[in-house]
């Protein structure tokens, strides 16, 4: 399997000191920056856009930026995120009228493409485009907010997608997003995930008295992942 990637969701970072917070979590050993884009339309919340992505690049962030689009429509904003330095761009199939075209657009803009599945979204959206995705993101909460509890049914769905990917022989990342913490990350890996988004699980810990907070939590996650074979 591909190496495990830990992807802190900056939704739970300190937006007033975002560059510093991202630097710190990457210095602590995180692999990629998960960037949640919400539009108060597809999901009932409003967050950040391409300007902030570009600002992180200008600040000096070189790690991959994993842009999770929770917006509708999707296509208009994709070139802006590509120009702003996105590495991955993932979107929800329900939010695009033409899924194949959107995947092509992301690739044409020089980014890696992924589809995101809400807890109740069927995997059949993958039937004719599996060879066009670089990442499959399974939501283990309903999108829109950080700090929700992991929905256990996501584990079975992860196992299904892991089998689908392995049977295809394609190099597709399997990412999970929502309620991922140090104490459940091992069972999530065992179910087949290789890319782990965690917002409140990393940024949400009390800061007081622990200047190396991100080192500790990232190390705990790495240790939990290392204990799972495969
Ligand atoms: C939810 C977002 C997540 C969110 C996860 O819609 O897609 O990335 O930040 O937050 P936690 O890890 O707190 O569940
Ligand atoms: Zn997300």
């Amino acid at each position: 399997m591909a190496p495990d990637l830990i992807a802190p969701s900056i939704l739970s970072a300190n937006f007033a000191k975002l560059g510093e917070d991202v630097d710190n979590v990457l210095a602590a050993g995180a692999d990629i920056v998960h960037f949640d884009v919400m539009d108060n339309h597809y999901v009932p919340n409003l967050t950040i856009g391409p300007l902030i992505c570009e600002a992180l690049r200008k600040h000096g962030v070189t790690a991959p930026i994993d842009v999770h689009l929770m917006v509708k429509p999707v296509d208009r904003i994709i070139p802006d995120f590509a120009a702003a330095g996105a590495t991955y761009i993932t979107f929800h199939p329900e939010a695009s009228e033409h899924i194949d075209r959107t995947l092509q657009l992301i690739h044409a803009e020089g980014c890696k493409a992924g589809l995101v599945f809400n807890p109740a979204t069927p995997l059949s959206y993958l039937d004719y485009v599996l060879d066009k995705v670089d990442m499959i993101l399974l939501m283990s909460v309903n999108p829109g907010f950080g700090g929700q509890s992991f929905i256990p049914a996501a584990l079975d769905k992860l196992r299904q997608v892991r089998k689908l990917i392995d049977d295809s022989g394609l190099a597709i990342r399997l990412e999970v997003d929502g309620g991922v913490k140090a104490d459940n990350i091992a069972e999530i890996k065992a179910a087949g995930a290789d890319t782990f988004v965690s917002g409140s699980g990393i940024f949400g810990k009390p800061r007081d008295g622990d200047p190396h907070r991100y080192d500790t939590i990232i190390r705990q996650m790495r240790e939990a992942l290392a204990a799972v074979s495969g």
Side-chain angles (χ1 to χ4, degrees):
M1 248 170 70
D4 297 323
L5 298 180
I6 295 177
S9 163
I10 59 172
L11 186 62
S12 293
N14 180 351
F15 280 118
K17 292 188 173 183
L18 188 58
E20 194 182 317
D21 229 8
V22 170
D23 288 345
N24 287 342
V25 82
L26 289 170
D31 300 294
I32 66 180
V33 177
H34 186 79
F35 192 102
D36 285 305
V37 185
M38 304 183 186
D39 67 350
N40 188 37
H41 172 68
Y42 178 66
V43 292
N45 201 354
L46 186 66
T47 59
I48 48 179
L51 284 175
I52 306 293
C53 185
E54 187 182 9
L56 287 176
R57 287 298 187 212
K58 284 186 176 158
H59 175 74
V61 172
T62 55
I65 297 182
D66 170 29
V67 173
H68 174 191
L69 293 181
M70 289 161 274
V71 305
K72 186 178 182 175
V74 180
D75 292 6
R76 223 300 292 142
I77 204 74
I78 285 171
D80 295 11
F81 270 108
T87 309
Y88 287 92
I89 299 180
T90 66
F91 65 97
H92 291 247
E94 303 94 329
S96 170
E97 301 293 340
H98 304 283
I99 295 161
D100 184 279
R101 178 183 288 153
T102 303
L103 291 168
Q104 287 186 45
L105 174 61
I106 295 169
H107 284 143
E109 291 289 332
C111 300
K112 294 179 181 172
L115 282 182
V116 191
F117 294 82
N118 288 331
T121 304
L123 296 171
S124 54
Y125 280 110
L126 288 168
D127 283 355
Y128 302 102
V129 292
L130 195 61
D131 59 334
K132 292 178 180 144
V133 299
D134 304 292
M135 180 181 278
I136 297 168
L137 169 48
L138 295 192
M139 295 304 300
S140 36
V141 298
N142 287 293
F145 302 95
Q148 304 179 78
S149 298
F150 185 89
I151 296 173
L155 293 172
D156 268 342
K157 209 170 180 183
L158 276 169
R159 284 186 271 270
Q160 280 182 53
V161 179
R162 170 48 56 202
K163 183 170 175 358
L164 200 68
I165 294 172
D166 289 350
D167 289 352
S168 76
L170 296 164
I172 300 172
R173 283 223 154 250
L174 178 48
E175 184 173 44
V176 66
D177 183 3
V180 178
K181 314 270 181 198
D183 63 6
N184 63 5
I185 201 167
E187 63 174 336
I188 293 167
K189 175 178 176 179
D194 57 29
T195 307
F196 306 87
V197 177
S198 180
S200 55
I202 292 175
F203 291 106
K205 299 275 176 186
R207 194 178 288 255
D208 295 346
D210 184 7
H212 306 296
R213 179 171 53 113
Y214 300 143
D215 301 69
T216 306
I217 186 65
I218 300 281
R219 193 181 62 248
Q220 284 170 0
M221 288 183 166
R222 285 268 178 240
E223 285 171 2
L225 291 170
V228 181
S229 58

